[in-house]
Amino acid sequence: LALLTRSAVRTGSGEGPADLAQAALWGLLRTVQTEHPGRFVLVDLDRPVTAPDDPALRAALASGESQIAVRGAELMKPQLAKGGPSGGVLTPPSGGAAWRIGTEGTGTLEDLAPVPAPEATAPLGDGEVRIAVRAAGLNFHDVVVTLGLDPDQQTLGSEGAGTVLEVGSGVRDLAPGDRVMGIFGGSFGPVAVADRRTVARIPAGWSFARAASVPIVYLTAYYGLFDLGGLRAGETVLIHAAAGGVGMAATQLARHAGATVFGTASPGKWDVLRAGGLDDEHIASSRTVEFADRFLAATEGRGVDLVLDSLAREFVDASLTLLPRGGRFVEMGKTDIRDADEVAARCPGVRYRAFDLMEAGPERIGAMLADVLALFERGALAPLPVRGWDMRRAPEAVRFLSQASGVGKNVLTLPAPLDPDGTVLITGGTGTLGRLLARH
């Protein structure tokens, strides 16, 4: 007997609270499993299952595990991990000095460490907001910076969510305590400073982790598809790495705009693309260049109108062949940027454009963020799967992201700081543990 639940267990700190009623069912069935081994299976899903042949459900039942959680295309089981003196966990500096996670410049994934962040506590300028960070989005560009592959960027963390601590002159629509999200540098630490124009209030009901998962991926996709790519209803777009954060966001935005989407991903993530509305004719592997022939055949040689690219080398060359009638090629990647004039000479009618989101400027970033949040409010967009990591485990999270094995968005989280002037209620405060905790 398989018991299906939804959000009964939490698989990471980035998830919202468990459904308490369904969590109780897990407690009951775990007891039953110990009394009747091999007869009961617990499967927790992150979305409703409408048919017994759902691919995620089939994979979970075929895993042989008695307790399993399905998050996107990932199957997770509860297990113990061996600890150690450090285990790759970063130790923030003591003494209350401002800090953030940075790179020491050796160009390896083991290079991360807490570094001083005096800019986080410097006096605010006009239009600035100081934020107590509760969650920060982790992006592949953070991997690139850690490896020293972007000489123009040294600071890790470019988005986050938290509560306002202080506002600078000219900021009249936010106050300390307001929950905000948006684009700001140095977000891998407990305090950061943002331009008011690039942050917005967090929608009601959103966790800090969910809010931190939205800005970079949705704004990058929005800017690439519409501002630079000029995507319109009725056109066709190829989105590479469509099971990643930006890819999943771009797929939703393009389909909402009335475009036809072709997507690539590793075969193990194709169910994510199917769940996003793509059929098998519009899906191909991102591990080989066979997608070019496959999609040319599917379009009877017409190809696509727009390519939103994040790959490199021969994959870029293959993607350009999908623009036989000319079109737009928008490059998000950082490791293989081509010369636009050379591309135009080799591929007549193709307009090549590499970009970085920050070139849009704070005014445009703020306007796009408002548009994206309005689409969420109308139900036109859905949040991505989020995997949360304690910020002290940033090296492990960066390594995981570098392996491109996850789906959706990775987020670093911080616990709420304890207010030294606040009040704590300890139930059972007369017991041994309660008394020790009260003294602490």
Side-chain angles (χ1 to χ4, degrees), residues 25 63 106 113 146 178 217 249 255 263 299 306 323 361 390 428 435:
L25 292 176
S63 69
T106 63
T146 301
D178 288 345
V217 292
R255 284 170 52 83
T299 58
L306 171 64
L323 297 168
D390 188 299
R435 290 200 303 271

Side-chain angles (χ1 to χ4, degrees), residues 192-324:
V193 175
D195 185 321
R196 170 62 186 95
R197 295 171 293 180
T198 65
V199 297
R201 294 179 184 274
I202 297 176
W206 282 25
S207 68
F208 287 111
R210 172 183 287 188
S213 74
V214 167
I216 288 291
V217 292
Y218 279 94
L219 298 191
T220 298
Y222 192 109
Y223 189 62
L225 288 173
F226 305 121
D227 286 47
L228 303 182
L231 186 65
R232 300 182 299 274
E235 291 192 315
T236 304
V237 58
L238 166 61
I239 299 173
H240 282 304
V246 176
M248 294 179 73
T251 298
Q252 290 190 58
L253 286 166
R255 284 170 52 83
H256 174 70
T260 299
V261 176
F262 288 87
T264 67
S266 60
K269 300 178 182 179
W270 285 2
D271 280 346
V272 176
L273 274 59
R274 295 185 182 107
L278 305 189
D279 59 32
D280 287 354
E281 188 179 49
H282 292 77
I283 296 173
S285 175
S286 58
R287 295 290 185 259
T288 73
V289 297
E290 294 176 359
F291 66 84
D293 290 338
R294 179 180 177 86
F295 292 158
L296 279 174
T299 58
E300 298 179 345
R302 295 188 306 275
V304 300
D305 300 294
L306 171 64
V307 175
L308 187 64
D309 183 61
S310 55
L311 305 181
R313 297 178 297 279
E314 67 272 18
F315 294 92
V316 174
D317 298 323
S319 299
L320 287 167
T321 67
L322 282 165
L323 297 168

